[in-house]
Amino acid sequence: MAEPKENLQMEKIVSLCKRRGFVFQSSEIYGGINGFWDYGPLGAELKRNVKELWWNAMTRQRDDVAGLEATIIMSPQIWKASGHVDTFADLMVEDPLTNKRFRADQIEPQSGTAYHFLQAIEASVALRNLRSERERDLAINTPMLKTDWLPKLDSMIAEIEAVIADSGFSAHDLEKIEENYQRNYPQEDPRSRGIFQNARISILLPDGKPIQSAKKLAVEYAKKQGVIGVPYFASPPTQKIENSQEYNPENGVKFNLPRPFNLMLQTYVGPIQSEENIAYLRPETAQAIFAQFKNVLETSRQRVPFGIAQVGKAFRNEVTPRNFTFRSREFEQMELEFFIKPDEVVEAISGSVAPPQDAPGEPQPNWGWQAWHQYWVEERVRFYEGIGLDRSTLGFHRQTPAELAHYARACTDILFKFPFSKRDENGNVTGDELEGIAARSDFDLSQHQRFSGKPMGVFDEELRAAWAKLPKEKQDEFRNRYYENRKRYLEKSGVESETAQKQATEDANGLAKGQYIPHVIEPSAGVDRLILALIANAYSEITETDDKGKSETRVTMKFHPRVAPIKVSVLPLLKNKPELVKKAQEVRGLLRPWMNVFYDEAGSIGRRYARQDEAGTPFCVTIDFDTLGEKPELLDTVTIRHRDDGKQERLKICELLEFLLSKIR
Ligand code: GAP
């Protein structure tokens, strides 16, 4: 069967990543480890550039964001407070035959006919039970039983008899099997029922496929369970299935019921591997920011609204790592927690809250959570555009109320149209998540306040002063709104109603003293997904055919110069001319303190250009005889070649640095 085009594109990308040293499989020499990836020389540079650009844009270029670098392992209490210990789980299904596990929501829907199989012995036991039930019922002889129940019982008996006949087992065989079985598993043995249950299996076959293949799997499964003979039957024995996610697309076997599976990777801290020493590798970088909120606030001299940014590793024991680095088990995040005033506080200070708008512009004092949320979505899109991801390559998904976490008010996902992304009903590529921008209310700080017992609120002099000037009705209105929000949060978090009311009253009374718990807007991006997006976006190939009809496909990685792993390659025209080599090394020395320079003297100039195109180097600088003054007017000039159109221009060496810096910054 022909490979779908988008998979072919992914295959090419994965192969280039290995061939050119962008990404390698982790532990490759030992066969790899699923969900873990290493970045090679070019990938490591690309990744550094991306993180550096994010850090610059989010912290150094702004007055209102401070940075943090916290540990990966933190107090397990943090993960209790954040809800990760109890609820950070995916629903997972298992194929009972192969024991392979999948994320329940990621199963490709299947259609066809499902064949339900039971073990013969189970049918035989059921038949005997039904027959004795019939005897008992006949003896009771009530009219209702006769008209209502007995016909049903009769049809069930007939169905099972038919099924047994179909199984190929004689009554004698079944008796023998049953005897044997009862001996091994007497009634009181819990395995007795367990084995019956375990022997059940359903297999979905696409329409037209012969039932034999399903029977084969059923027999295989029965053997695995240690039971004998599996004919097909059940009630009903077959069933039409449309677009169901309950069957394994690889073999048609029906999954076990979905079970939650906690995604946190666990370890022990200290020499004793006991319950109380359990610790977790952080599944997100965000929680450290909340836990250190007060320390950062006090040491950075920031005031709300302000943010704390962090870049670092996160770990999730993903059920099905997939799509190359897109869903990995170890990955990096770039997260900002931007703390804002609750809307009641904004209104108390500014008189009103700005309505949401499409292009929010520069931050204003009267912005509530909606304007801040839109602002951050827009800021983040501008960041992606600034590193070469055109708006047309992105998509947006505003989470529906059903998708939102209970404490979140909104979440907009920024998507990138990956080669593996699905199409919607109109045939347009929808994209997969690069980053989520969530409005998380005051949930996180409140949770850490409750669990740690340490206050997470702030004092805001502006609020205190404004509050004193508000008319009483306004004070009551804001206090009531704040009270209702706090009470709702506390009750949803399991705090008993009376205590929640008392606590919410105290919190609401805090407004008059200038106190509140900040809300948060969280732009949370994945480094690895962004790297994959940049690679997919940059990948471009052309096939050229020469005069002899021989065709060659060349790959150019069209990275934006800001992210390109190598910014410039310096090439002496000939390696056996010491004056050219010396001059080229001087140029390299001039540029090297400022950017990643690659010096290459091996092979023809054309081959060297092609190698750099494949690495995504935006500029190649060639030192030739004119540089040395063969044409006196060109002394100390170089040719600079542009990767994307192959055009060349002549530039003075003394202008080179400034030219390159203007392109890569
Ligand atoms: N603090 C919020 C948070 O962690 P998330 O949507 O679970 O939210 C944020 O993760 C971002 O981290 C995602 O948009 C994605 O880019 C990245 N990410 C999450 N899980 C990942 C995985 N298994 N592999 C690679 N990147 C992942």
Side-chain angles (χ1 to χ4, degrees):
M1 202 176 73
E3 196 69 41
K5 210 164 145 243
E6 50 274 23
N7 289 353
L8 231 148
Q9 181 74 355
M10 267 318 283
E11 269 178 32
K12 287 179 181 175
I13 288 171
V14 174
S15 131
L16 173 101
C17 281
K18 180 170 159 61
R19 181 158 47 84
R20 287 312 313 253
F22 283 99
V23 183
F24 305 128
Q25 198 182 15
S26 164
S27 325
E28 196 190 86
I29 57 167
Y30 292 102
I33 166 164
N34 197 7
F36 296 84
W37 300 95
D38 293 340
Y39 288 83
L42 291 178
E45 286 290 339
L46 181 60
K47 213 173 178 202
R48 268 176 185 272
N49 292 342
V50 163
K51 289 190 283 182
E52 191 73 8
L53 284 160
W54 185 90
W55 186 261
N56 260 328
M58 299 303 251
T59 66
R60 294 185 186 154
Q61 302 298 318
R62 304 183 62 100
D63 293 328
D64 56 359
V65 177
L68 178 73
E69 184 149 338
T71 56
I72 285 170
I73 293 179
M74 298 184 277
S75 162
Q77 286 297 106
I78 288 192
W79 307 113
K80 294 224 172 74
S82 68
H84 283 82
V85 169
D86 294 330
T87 60
F88 191 55
D90 277 341
L91 278 182
M92 189 200 64
V93 286
E94 186 174 344
D95 173 337
L97 178 63
T98 60
N99 294 111
K100 261 175 109 168
R101 291 170 174 190
F102 302 84
R103 244 175 78 166
D105 60 340
Q106 286 173 356
I107 309 295
E108 206 55 56
Q110 309 291 305
S111 304
T113 306
Y115 295 88
H116 304 303
F117 295 84
L118 289 181
Q119 193 200 167
I121 185 77
E122 184 170 11
S124 146
V125 171
L127 186 60
R128 187 160 37 81
N129 289 345
L130 288 175
R131 279 180 181 152
S132 57
E133 191 173 337
R134 190 175 191 281
E135 304 269 291
R136 273 201 314 276
D137 290 350
L138 276 177
I140 299 168
N141 198 18
T142 43
M144 206 189 78
L145 265 180
K146 275 201 167 154
T147 53
D148 233 24
W149 178 235
L150 278 177
K152 274 189 197 151
L153 212 52
D154 283 340
S155 79
M156 280 158 78
I157 289 169
E159 193 181 314
I160 295 183
E161 280 170 344
V163 138
I164 288 180
D166 194 31
S167 77
F169 286 98
S170 67
H172 179 72
D173 289 339
L174 287 173
E175 252 169 53
K176 282 271 162 253
I177 296 171
E178 197 182 331
E179 255 175 47
N180 206 357
Y181 194 80
Q182 302 286 351
R183 218 177 13 255
N184 287 334
Y185 301 104
Q187 282 296 307
E188 62 276 11
D189 186 332
R191 281 172 301 173
S192 160
R193 276 241 58 82
I195 291 271
F196 287 147
Q197 297 290 340
N198 287 344
R200 291 179 180 183
I201 191 165
S202 296
I203 291 154
L204 182 69
L205 292 181
D207 287 334
K209 201 166 173 196
I211 189 196
Q212 272 67 19
S213 58
K215 271 192 172 171
K216 222 170 115 199
L217 289 180
V219 170
E220 206 181 301
Y221 177 66
K223 273 198 197 125
K224 186 173 167 216
Q225 300 297 312
V227 292
I228 336 136
V230 181
Y232 84 97
F233 42 68
S235 180
T238 63
Q239 190 185 0
K240 272 270 165 231
I241 300 288
E242 284 290 338
N243 289 326
S244 166
Q245 290 187 297
E246 292 181 359
Y247 295 85
N248 185 351
E250 292 171 4
N251 58 8
V253 170
K254 187 171 186 181
F255 293 119
N256 289 338
L257 286 178
R259 280 193 298 126
F261 172 74
N262 195 296
L263 300 183
M264 280 201 294
L265 279 152
Q266 209 174 278
T267 185
Y268 297 93
V269 169
I272 300 165
Q273 300 204 346
S274 60
E275 186 84 355
E276 60 272 26
N277 286 342
I278 288 178
Y280 304 97
L281 304 191
R282 66 182 176 198
E284 60 171 23
T285 60
Q287 291 306 320
I289 296 179
F290 297 120
Q292 292 291 7
F293 168 70
K294 273 307 193 66
N295 278 334
V296 177
L297 178 71
E298 277 153 25
T299 53
S300 64
R301 300 172 58 84
Q302 292 281 356
R303 282 168 49 215
V304 178
F306 83 104
I308 305 177
Q310 178 166 221
V311 178
K313 290 271 187 183
F315 302 81
R316 296 182 189 176
N317 198 5
E318 296 285 357
V319 181
T320 36
R322 65 191 177 112
N323 289 332
F324 199 21
T325 56
F326 181 83
R327 190 175 298 288
S328 317
R329 289 180 166 140
E330 175 175 339
F331 56 97
E332 269 187 283
Q333 288 186 314
M334 305 184 285
E335 295 199 290
L336 170 71
E337 302 303 325
F338 195 82
F339 299 97
I340 56 172
K341 298 175 198 215
D343 278 10
E344 299 80 42
V345 172
V346 174
E347 207 176 329
I349 295 173
S350 300
S352 65
V353 174
Q357 47 212 293
D358 285 343
E362 286 304 300
Q364 299 299 323
N366 67 343
W367 277 10
W369 73 266
Q370 281 175 301
W372 275 114
H373 183 244
Q374 280 173 326
Y375 166 81
W376 277 113
V377 172
E378 198 48 40
E379 279 294 290
R380 298 301 306 138
V381 172
R382 287 228 298 266
F383 173 81
Y384 291 123
E385 286 179 313
I387 57 172
L389 298 183
D390 190 78
R391 220 167 255 252
S392 64
T393 67
L394 304 175
F396 298 92
H397 171 66
R398 204 176 159 91
Q399 289 189 8
T400 60
E403 290 171 300
L404 281 178
H406 69 83
Y407 48 79
R409 289 179 162 173
C411 185
T412 301
D413 293 336
I414 300 179
L415 319 174
F416 176 78
K417 295 170 186 167
F418 288 97
F420 50 76
S421 294
K422 301 251 168 5
R423 286 172 191 276
D424 64 15
E425 58 280 4
N426 303 320
N428 301 317
V429 179
T430 45
D432 287 272
E433 182 187 329
L434 266 190
E435 165 161 1
I437 297 137
R440 295 173 66 98
S441 72
D442 55 3
F443 174 78
D444 303 274
L445 288 180
S446 302
Q447 285 290 97
H448 287 298
Q449 174 169 292
R450 265 189 338 110
F451 277 72
S452 70
K454 304 282 184 323
M456 287 289 166
V458 295
F459 168 70
D460 190 328
E461 176 52 35
E462 222 184 338
L463 169 63
R464 202 187 57 79
W467 192 268
K469 292 185 198 140
L470 286 175
K472 168 130 185 5
E473 323 82 75
K474 278 283 167 197
Q475 289 181 346
D476 288 346
E477 183 198 324
F478 297 145
R479 200 187 289 111
N480 282 345
R481 267 163 49 191
Y482 196 75
Y483 167 85
E484 286 302 330
N485 284 337
R486 295 297 301 161
K487 184 162 80 80
R488 198 172 316 122
Y489 152 71
L490 289 161
E491 285 178 350
K492 273 197 171 161
S493 307
V495 177
E496 191 260 319
S497 179
E498 209 175 309
T499 319
Q501 284 173 25
K502 210 167 132 235
Q503 182 61 55
T505 308
E506 253 175 54
D507 293 343
N509 288 340
L511 291 178
K513 298 180 222 154
Q515 288 164 353
Y516 59 85
I517 296 186
H519 285 224
V520 76
I521 306 290
E522 177 194 66
S524 169
V527 181
D528 310 76
R529 283 190 189 178
L530 179 49
I531 298 295
L532 186 56
L534 290 169
I535 290 176
N537 187 60
Y539 189 92
S540 134
E541 58 181 32
I542 45 165
T543 305
E544 282 165 348
T545 311
D546 65 15
D547 305 343
K548 292 174 196 130
K550 196 176 152 220
S551 62
E552 192 190 13
T553 301
R554 291 197 307 108
V555 173
T556 302
M557 295 298 286
K558 295 188 173 174
F559 291 120
H560 190 289
R562 292 199 183 102
V563 294
I566 301 168
K567 306 298 184 195
V568 60
S569 179
V570 176
L571 320 168
L573 188 62
L574 299 169
K575 77 168 175 191
N576 54 5
K577 292 282 177 235
E579 319 85 278
L580 287 178
V581 169
K582 183 163 171 275
K583 196 70 183 171
Q585 286 175 349
E586 267 172 42
V587 172
R588 174 182 65 177
L590 171 79
L591 302 176
R592 207 140 66 163
W594 301 92
M595 64 194 74
N596 191 24
V597 184
F598 190 80
Y599 175 83
D600 190 3
E601 54 182 34
S604 76
I605 200 81
R607 288 195 70 81
R608 282 184 271 167
Y609 284 156
R611 277 205 294 269
Q612 290 310 310
D613 287 348
E614 225 184 23
T617 308
F619 307 104
C620 285
V621 167
T622 309
I623 288 45
D624 56 19
F625 292 106
D626 288 337
T627 315
L628 303 177
E630 198 165 276
K631 283 198 197 107
E633 69 278 17
L634 295 182
L635 176 70
D636 280 339
T637 63
V638 290
T639 57
I640 181 153
R641 174 188 176 268
H642 298 256
R643 175 197 62 204
D644 296 346
D645 55 11
K647 289 209 175 108
Q648 303 196 8
E649 56 182 316
R650 201 94 204 163
L651 218 64
K652 289 187 184 142
I653 291 177
C654 61
E655 290 168 354
L656 194 55
L657 179 62
E658 201 183 0
F659 169 83
L660 290 171
L661 287 179
S662 74
K663 300 288 181 192
I664 65 171
R665 282 195 169 156

